[in-house]
Each structure stands twice: as structure tokens, then as C-alpha cells.
Amino acid sequence: EAEIELLYADTIANGGNVWFAVFPDDVGQPELRAIARMNAHVRDNAAYYTSNRSVAEVALVWSDATANLYLGSEVARSDFTANIQGSEAGNVLAEFGGLYDALFRNHVPFDVLDDVTLTDEDLGRYKLILLPNVAVFSARAAERLRAWVAAGGCLVGTFETSLYDETGHRLDDFRLGDLF
């Protein structure tokens, strides 16, 4: 019950949406009381959970393009997806998860950005952007990150970050090689 309440609170504190699957065998379990309390809390304090924005200065990038086109990617096992075996080295899901856990467990506020955000939205408020094997990388995203680093941003990329173009073809050199 306490763990569910903590997970629920962490989710809403970080701007996420809560989703629980409840099955008939779960009825009467203590964790449902925690969910009911937290749902009531959100309902009663809705003004604090709407019309707000993150103040995180750290961003962790999840790249759909890399997940879809890079051979080292792996899809998480769930009720809805089949497991696709990827390489141990450079596993996109594992690298993202490791950095996510490190930030989360150390209570570092952070945003998760996607490929579109890297190319289209303002990155100026971030002091640190983490690229966990974001291997598939557009020229536009590389240009924007170069400008962001020149303005004082700190960039960390792992493994083969920026070594593939936006179609998944390997480049001769890293698109961000000059920054690394």
C-alpha cells in the first residue's frame, strides 16, 4: 500500500499520468485503498496539477527513431508487446532505463524529451541533456545541440549516439563527434 502511494505520488509530481490495471482478484487488496486515496487527493487538488510546467534543468532523451531503426534496440516485454532480441552492447532500452533510474533514485528533477523536441522546441532552460545511445540522429537535431552547447549547455552521449542518420544508415563519423 505504501509503495503504491509513493509510486503514484512520484508519477504525478513528475507530470505523468497514472494508469493501473485492476483485476477481479485485486478487489479488497490494500493497494486499492492507496489508489482511492491518491485519486481523491488529485481530484481535491486539481488546481495544483493543471496549467503547470516542469522546472527541471536536466533532460533525458528517448528516441523513437533509434528504438525503431537501430539494431541495438529492444522492445520491453509487456502484456501488449512481444520481446524483440537486441544486442547486449548499446541496448537502447537498457541504457535509457539505467540513466532514468540513476536520476530518479537520486531525486534529480528531469524531463524526458523525444526526437521532435530536439528538433523543434526550445532547449534553453536545460543545463544538461543526456543521450542514452541515441544512435539515430538527424542533422537538424545535431545543429540545434551544437548551438545549445555553444550557449553553455552540457551534453552527455553514450555508445553510438549520433552515428546513424535519420533513416538508420551508419555514417562515417558521429554527427556530434566534434562535441564529444
Side-chain angles (χ1 to χ4, degrees):
E1 188 173 355
E3 289 293 323
I4 292 291
E5 199 165 276
L6 181 61
L7 288 170
Y8 194 120
D10 280 337
T11 301
I12 60 173
N14 286 289
N17 292 313
V18 177
W19 182 88
F20 284 101
V22 179
F23 301 97
D25 291 347
D26 296 331
V27 174
Q29 295 297 315
E31 52 268 21
L32 290 183
R33 289 192 301 266
I35 294 168
R37 277 195 309 277
M38 293 304 293
N39 283 342
H41 171 79
V42 170
R43 180 197 64 224
D44 295 344
N45 295 282
Y48 297 104
Y49 297 110
T50 58
S51 301
N52 54 30
R53 69 176 197 82
S54 171
V55 294
E57 295 178 331
V58 175
L60 176 63
V61 175
W62 171 259
S63 170
D64 282 334
T66 300
N68 292 331
L69 300 171
Y70 179 66
L71 293 177
S73 67
E74 181 178 323
V75 176
R77 288 182 208 239
S78 75
D79 294 343
F80 308 105
T81 61
N83 186 37
I84 300 169
Q85 292 300 321
S87 169
E88 286 288 324
N91 182 302
V92 174
L93 185 61
E95 290 199 33
F96 178 86
L99 288 172
Y100 184 100
D101 282 347
L103 293 168
F104 181 78
R105 291 175 188 272
N106 285 284
H107 307 284
V108 175
F110 67 98
D111 293 334
V112 175
L113 307 183
D114 62 8
D115 304 294
V116 175
T117 304
L118 286 182
T119 58
D120 296 344
E121 295 184 23
D122 180 25
L123 304 174
R125 70 185 177 98
Y126 298 109
K127 293 182 178 178
L128 171 65
I129 295 179
L130 301 165
L131 304 168
N133 197 22
V134 180
V136 177
F137 221 86
S138 72
R140 172 97 173 110
E143 289 172 23
R144 295 201 68 232
L145 284 178
R146 261 188 214 90
W148 175 78
V149 167
C154 181
L155 185 67
V156 175
T158 65
F159 201 56
E160 292 186 320
T161 291
S162 80
L163 190 56
Y164 296 78
D165 70 14
E166 52 274 4
T167 64
H169 292 99
R170 187 182 174 105
L171 302 168
D172 292 333
D173 197 4
F174 295 90
R175 278 212 158 126
L176 297 174
D178 56 318
L179 297 178
F180 297 148

